[in-house]
Amino acid sequence: MIEIKYNENDLIKSKKEYYLNKPLAFDIETTSTYVNGEKFSFMYCWALNIDDTEIVRGRTWEEFQDIIKSWENYNFNIIIYVHNLPYEFQFLRKLFNITDVFATDIRKVLKCKISKNVILKDSLILSGMKLETLAKNLTKPMKKKVGDLDYTLVRTPLTPMTETEWGYVDEDVNIVVEYIREQIEIYDNITKIPLTNTGRVRNYLKELCLYGGKKAHKRLSNYAREYKRLMSILTLDTEEFRLLREAFQGGFTHANYNYTNEVVSDVYSDDLTSSYPTVIVSEQFPMTKGQRFNQKTLQEILEINKHYLTVFTVRMTNVLSRIEFENYFSVSKVKGTNIVENNGRVYSADEITTSFTSIDLEIVLKCYTFDTFEVLGGYAYKQDYLPKSFLEGVLKLYKDKTELKGITGKEREYLLSKGMLNSTYGMMVTNFAKRDYIYSDDWAQDFSKTLEDKIETENTSKSRFLFYAWGVFVTAYARRNVWSAILELKDDYIYSDTDSVKYVNREKHLDYFKRYNENIKNKLIKCLKYRNIPTDYLHPKNKHGDECWLGLWDYEGKYEKFKTLGAKRYLVQKAGKFILTCAGLSKKQGVEYLVNHGNPFEMFNDDMYIPKEHTGKMTHTYIDEYQSHDVTDYLGQTTHVTSYSSIHLESCEFTLSLSEKYVDFIKTYVKGYIILNEQREGVY
């Protein structure tokens, strides 16, 4: 038996149960191989760190099962953190009596019980950082070991391991234990640590809004009482929620098709400072129950939009882009006929039906011409700034993030405020009505609650402090802000990504950035004066004494060279260094391969191929069946290995290929078109 050293002060009572207030972490290492052509994966070693007082090493699941069973003698609960719990869960789920599974989706486990008193929780979803990054961001930074364990070698539970190899495994649980120790200090005890990074800011703002920051006090402040009254008004019906879901879009990320596959020199980049928090503070949002309206003409909806925020469904005919450098509508958000697609965006169509907000309409009218515009129905809301307590909470996080950055001894507080600020938007668009999955020996969809049930539960929740419509308008405002730059830059615009723009000829556009920054300052000040909040919250000073305004375009610098192949695909050279962003490919390993195998800009093209050993990309295969095989390890030793369920990991190659639709679009619509890849010339 592995005993846990503790005293009575190490036990915390929560909801009539006791918990061990100490950090524990568990991690496994696995082999993925093929046996007789069949994918086979299994665990060959594990490590358990108990509050840094003891690190237990094991080679079999039976050893770990014995420890967990022996701990059932304790009269308190034990929480063990696992970095990426969904992975370990797939290996152990048939080996323990799993109960109390909390998952955000099928296989995405955040928490579960593996015995009557041992609970596993996920430290990855809590921190939002991979282990290497987490190690660097601890108050006392650590360094995850790299290269000490060769994952390409086949190992079994009988394969000898060196101390260097064990050191690699040990360090992973050491990092997690140190991180959880910090979290215990922040939250006073282990039971108060939220499950997710978003949960941190949710709890923080909920307490501010619903309890005036003093949840323990029975008497609520006037602000808290008023907030609860507001929530009782801001309710949704089923049709309205469906429409809001259809209208919701994320940030705008796309490339000017005129620059696709070209190497452009002297490209500039500007970023919006805290884009989503800025619109949360500077803009007005739905603050009444939605009022249903039926068919409207364009002129009628424009008249309504003078006084209300709206969300609606529209049918448009003979739609055509009125600008030659970008398109707004996402193909995934429309239904239509004869759509001409520009890398996932609508260039033209005979007819489309889609849903969006009154804020989106402002952009649509600047981007497209059309023959008819028929509003099929929607909802209108009176608008106002968000409640004072909510705004104060967001601004406090921005202030802390700014003032604590780079301050020695305040690293933990800085990272906490930064992570929470970045999550303020995410919690606003959490889909409370999403499909539920339950786990009982296997995964199954939960049909016990209908959409109407979930909406009713949300509407009547006493702990609710958010209105889903707010989040839908946050991204709409943010897209409008980015599009103000795109429309200003015109042919000089090259690429945008949610809160940034890349462009040429900076001097031509300096007046725009100056005007925008002055305008956003005025909008922010107007809101804070209206809500009676000190305006110095908007421009806290950093450690150098410089004012850092919320919401401004911030000049990020110049790239000597820039090349894009579409959304989330671009390569830059800055200060002589190559930086790659390519969806599905490791930034570090991808750019290393390009640099080491030729001219990076020449290699980064249509049909770029990177061998599997250089991609940093893995194919995951879930294996739910029992498997048992003889396996020969890299030392030539053969042993029988059993796996009850697993995940098979395999390096995979990467081929970047522009879609046929995109190539055809460029060939047809871009002036001075040059075939992107001479090898494909014969296709056309």
Side-chain angles (χ1 to χ4, degrees):
M1 174 179 176
I2 303 298
E3 293 189 3
I4 299 176
K5 299 173 184 177
Y6 72 98
N7 56 49
E8 292 303 313
N9 293 330
D10 294 322
L11 300 182
I12 298 293
K13 191 174 184 180
S14 177
K15 297 180 180 179
K16 299 182 180 180
E17 291 190 81
Y18 283 94
Y19 291 80
L20 180 67
N21 195 35
K22 286 177 174 289
L24 284 79
F26 176 71
D27 184 45
I28 68 173
E29 297 297 340
T30 65
T31 282
S32 292
T33 187
Y34 282 83
V35 178
N36 299 324
E38 179 184 11
K39 291 182 178 180
F40 185 41
S41 182
F42 52 89
M43 183 274 295
Y44 65 83
C45 76
W46 55 262
L48 174 67
N49 185 322
I50 306 172
D51 189 30
D52 269 348
T53 61
E54 184 172 7
I55 295 182
V56 186
R57 297 168 175 175
R59 303 302 302 268
T60 68
W61 281 116
E62 288 78 12
E63 294 168 309
F64 186 60
Q65 286 173 310
D66 288 343
I67 293 173
I68 299 304
K69 186 173 180 58
S70 70
W71 285 356
E72 291 183 354
N73 297 320
Y74 292 122
N75 62 351
F76 52 81
N77 292 306
I78 301 162
I79 298 174
I80 304 175
Y81 277 89
V82 181
H83 211 69
N84 192 15
L85 176 58
Y87 185 77
E88 268 79 358
F89 181 85
Q90 176 63 11
F91 283 86
L92 59 78
R93 68 183 183 87
K94 294 185 178 182
L95 297 168
F96 294 86
N97 180 27
I98 304 290
T99 60
D100 298 348
V101 174
F102 180 78
T104 57
D105 207 336
I106 186 170
R107 303 191 188 275
K108 295 182 179 179
V109 182
L110 273 62
K111 180 180 74 168
C112 67
K113 264 192 170 184
I114 59 173
S115 75
K116 71 175 186 179
N117 66 331
V118 177
I119 302 163
L120 302 185
K121 291 188 177 183
D122 186 8
S123 54
L124 175 60
I125 196 71
L126 171 63
S127 65
M129 292 179 273
K130 61 182 182 180
L131 209 53
E132 183 178 358
T133 306
L134 180 63
K136 295 176 183 176
N137 286 293
L138 294 170
T139 303
K140 298 177 181 178
M142 301 171 68
K143 187 174 182 180
K144 174 174 167 53
K145 296 184 177 181
V146 179
D148 288 345
L149 195 65
D150 187 346
Y151 283 99
T152 65
L153 301 178
V154 174
R155 295 181 177 86
T156 74
L158 295 183
T159 305
M161 291 182 63
T162 66
E163 276 303 308
T164 298
E165 291 171 333
W166 272 118
Y168 177 96
V169 182
D170 293 347
E171 193 66 4
D172 285 359
V173 288
N174 294 345
I175 293 167
V176 174
V177 159
E178 187 58 34
Y179 173 68
I180 298 303
R181 191 186 314 284
E182 290 186 3
Q183 300 307 300
I184 292 173
E185 293 175 5
I186 291 171
Y187 290 99
D188 295 330
N189 72 68
I190 199 166
T191 68
K192 293 182 180 179
I193 300 174
L195 275 179
T196 68
N197 200 26
T198 302
R200 299 180 195 275
V201 70
R202 185 183 294 275
N203 294 341
Y204 162 70
L205 287 172
K206 181 193 296 184
E207 190 165 314
L208 276 179
C209 296
L210 298 185
Y211 308 100
K214 300 177 181 179
K215 188 174 180 179
H217 290 209
K218 291 185 178 180
R219 288 188 61 189
L220 298 178
S221 67
N222 289 334
Y223 287 127
R225 281 195 294 270
E226 182 62 23
Y227 204 105
K228 284 179 174 286
R229 188 192 71 82
L230 176 65
M231 287 296 105
S232 69
I233 295 171
L234 299 183
T235 58
L236 298 169
D237 61 44
T238 303
E239 184 180 355
E240 179 183 9
F241 177 71
R242 284 196 176 108
L243 177 57
L244 287 166
R245 289 290 299 163
E246 291 171 3
F248 170 67
Q249 299 180 57
F252 186 86
T253 301
H254 212 238
N256 181 343
Y257 51 80
N258 292 292
Y259 287 99
T260 296
N261 205 41
E262 290 187 14
V263 179
V264 186
S265 299
D266 298 332
V267 173
Y268 302 88
S269 179
D270 280 71
D271 297 338
L272 283 168
T273 305
S274 299
S275 173
Y276 289 151
T278 298
V279 298
I280 287 172
V281 177
S282 64
E283 304 293 349
Q284 297 191 348
F285 293 86
M287 297 297 278
T288 59
K289 184 173 177 58
Q291 297 299 308
R292 172 73 186 175
F293 59 82
N294 295 317
Q295 289 185 319
K296 301 292 178 185
T297 65
L298 175 58
Q299 291 307 314
E300 287 172 333
I301 194 67
L302 288 174
E303 190 62 31
I304 294 173
N305 290 348
K306 290 179 181 178
H307 309 284
Y308 300 89
L309 291 174
T310 59
V311 57
F312 50 88
T313 299
V314 62
R315 182 165 55 229
M316 303 165 65
T317 62
N318 199 18
V319 179
L320 177 64
S321 178
R322 66 164 72 237
I323 56 179
E324 294 184 356
F325 47 88
E326 191 54 278
N327 306 131
Y328 186 68
F329 283 133
S330 172
V331 171
S332 66
K333 301 296 290 187
V334 307
K335 297 178 181 178
T337 57
N338 292 330
I339 295 174
V340 174
E341 183 178 333
N342 163 25
N343 194 212
R345 297 283 163 179
V346 177
Y347 176 82
S348 66
D350 287 353
E351 180 182 299
I352 62 170
T353 301
T354 187
S355 301
F356 50 77
T357 71
S358 47
I359 308 305
D360 294 292
L361 179 57
E362 298 175 24
I363 310 171
V364 169
L365 294 178
K366 295 175 182 177
C367 292
Y368 293 98
T369 62
F370 43 83
D371 283 352
T372 63
F373 186 103
E374 179 187 7
V375 175
L376 304 181
Y379 289 80
Y381 309 85
K382 288 184 179 179
Q383 56 193 307
D384 202 349
Y385 294 111
L386 293 177
K388 179 179 180 179
S389 51
F390 190 93
L391 295 175
E392 286 180 326
V394 173
L395 289 165
K396 176 67 163 54
L397 293 174
Y398 177 70
K399 184 173 184 289
D400 288 348
K401 171 197 167 188
T402 303
E403 294 178 345
L404 296 173
K405 185 175 182 179
I407 302 298
T408 303
K410 295 292 183 179
E411 295 85 358
R412 179 195 305 166
E413 291 86 348
Y414 164 70
L415 288 169
L416 187 62
S417 59
K418 179 183 177 182
M420 289 172 68
L421 180 66
N422 292 339
S423 296
T424 51
Y425 153 71
M427 68 175 183
M428 298 175 82
V429 290
T430 299
N431 181 6
F432 59 84
K434 70 182 293 186
R435 178 182 302 168
D436 290 331
Y437 286 89
I438 54 177
Y439 182 85
S440 179
D441 295 329
D442 209 343
W443 293 101
Q445 190 172 336
D446 184 2
F447 293 101
S448 62
K449 290 184 178 180
T450 65
L451 175 60
E452 288 74 17
D453 292 335
K454 292 182 178 182
I455 292 174
E456 178 63 19
T457 300
E458 179 74 2
N459 285 340
T460 57
S461 171
K462 298 297 183 183
S463 63
R464 181 169 66 91
F465 69 103
L466 295 168
F467 185 41
Y468 184 77
W470 292 351
V472 175
F473 276 86
V474 165
T475 53
Y477 282 123
R479 288 191 301 274
R480 185 182 68 180
N481 290 346
V482 169
W483 265 85
S484 73
I486 293 172
L487 292 169
E488 154 70 27
L489 297 167
K490 296 184 176 62
D491 292 337
D492 290 337
Y493 154 77
I494 297 177
Y495 186 89
S496 64
D497 191 348
T498 305
D499 57 0
S500 68
V501 287
K502 322 293 184 187
Y503 59 98
V504 293
N505 299 321
R506 177 172 172 77
E507 293 297 322
K508 284 172 54 178
H509 307 288
L510 290 177
D511 285 345
Y512 157 77
F513 290 108
K514 182 178 179 181
R515 289 195 312 271
Y516 179 95
N517 287 348
E518 288 303 315
N519 180 57
I520 200 67
K521 284 182 182 180
N522 292 334
K523 291 178 74 171
L524 289 163
I525 291 171
K526 182 179 179 181
C527 171
L528 266 62
K529 286 184 175 179
Y530 179 82
R531 287 297 187 206
N532 194 27
I533 301 172
T535 57
D536 57 359
Y537 274 65
L538 299 171
H539 47 86
K541 294 181 179 180
N542 62 20
K543 69 174 185 176
H544 304 295
D546 302 322
E547 286 189 344
C548 299
W549 269 87
L550 176 68
L552 305 189
W553 279 112
D554 182 36
Y555 177 52
E556 191 250 345
K558 184 177 79 170
Y559 307 129
E560 291 96 66
K561 293 181 179 179
F562 181 97
K563 183 179 182 179
T564 181
L565 296 173
K568 295 294 184 183
R569 295 174 171 183
Y570 61 89
L571 175 69
V572 307
Q573 184 178 13
K574 184 176 181 181
K577 182 180 178 181
F578 292 96
I579 305 168
L580 174 67
T581 296
C582 190
L585 185 63
S586 162
K587 286 189 174 186
K588 181 180 179 182
Q589 290 182 246
V591 80
E592 283 179 355
Y593 182 81
L594 295 180
V595 169
N596 294 329
H597 290 81
N599 183 316
F601 284 106
E602 290 180 1
M603 297 185 66
F604 183 65
N605 59 23
D606 189 23
D607 286 341
M608 178 184 75
Y609 171 79
I610 297 181
K612 63 182 182 180
E613 59 269 22
H614 297 288
T615 63
K617 182 182 178 184
M618 305 291 284
T619 297
H620 291 59
T621 303
Y622 284 88
I623 302 173
D624 295 317
E625 297 77 26
Y626 172 89
Q627 292 179 304
S628 189
H629 296 290
D630 287 335
V631 176
T632 302
D633 66 16
Y634 78 99
L635 296 174
Q637 181 177 348
T638 300
T639 188
H640 198 74
V641 183
T642 296
S643 188
Y644 287 80
S645 58
S646 63
I647 299 176
H648 184 275
L649 298 178
E650 186 174 19
S651 298
C652 59
E653 61 190 18
F654 180 84
T655 300
L656 190 157
S657 181
L658 301 184
S659 71
E660 296 293 341
K661 283 185 179 180
Y662 193 28
V663 172
D664 191 48
F665 172 80
I666 295 173
K667 180 178 179 180
T668 305
Y669 293 95
V670 176
K671 296 178 181 179
Y673 172 80
I674 299 175
I675 292 179
L676 298 178
N677 187 329
E678 292 181 0
Q679 293 180 345
R680 299 179 64 172
E681 189 169 4
V683 176
Y684 307 101

